[in-house]
Amino acid sequence: MIPEYAKPGDTVVKCPRCAYVWPYSGDKEYATCPSGGYKCEVAVNQKGMVLSCEDEILVDVDRYDRTVRRALSLGLKRGDRDYRSGIADAFPTKDGGSREF
């Protein structure tokens, strides 16, 4: 399930130490787990990027570099439905077509 306070374009990160899942909207290489304070490498621990909160859709962009993920995130945060539809067509959803992780 996508964290309830996530926004389109947020990266969903899962802490490898405590398994806490949260939306990360920054562009740094490491994010600090809000639960345990552990520094997580975002690309390695990314569970997907939020495409639609209401439909609980994550796109799988783990294999792309930071520049691509940042560009996707900025586009998604603008709230353009056509852009989101284009992303959904261009990138697979998380877990091979599943609408949730």
Side-chain angles (χ1 to χ4, degrees):
M1 177 181 278
I2 293 175
E4 65 181 63
Y5 52 94
K7 300 179 296 298
D10 284 352
T11 297
V12 176
V13 180
K14 182 175 182 180
C15 179
R17 184 170 283 173
C18 70
Y20 183 76
V21 177
W22 78 98
Y24 175 69
S25 59
D27 63 351
K28 304 292 184 207
E29 190 173 342
Y30 287 86
T32 303
C33 174
S35 178
Y38 183 72
K39 294 271 188 196
C40 304
E41 188 174 355
V42 174
V44 172
N45 297 292
Q46 181 175 0
K47 294 289 143 196
M49 186 175 289
V50 178
L51 177 65
S52 171
C53 303
E54 50 279 354
D55 298 323
E56 295 194 341
I57 299 173
L58 291 177
V59 291
D60 186 6
V61 293
D62 296 353
R63 66 183 183 273
Y64 298 97
D65 66 27
R66 273 180 31 181
T67 305
V68 172
R69 289 197 311 269
R70 182 164 166 69
L72 288 172
S73 177
L74 289 172
L76 289 168
K77 287 178 183 187
R78 291 191 181 112
D80 182 352
R81 287 267 177 206
D82 291 334
Y83 183 84
R84 289 184 198 176
S85 295
I87 293 299
D89 292 340
F91 292 91
T93 54
K94 194 66 185 165
D95 294 332
S98 173
R99 294 295 180 180
E100 296 182 60
F101 72 89

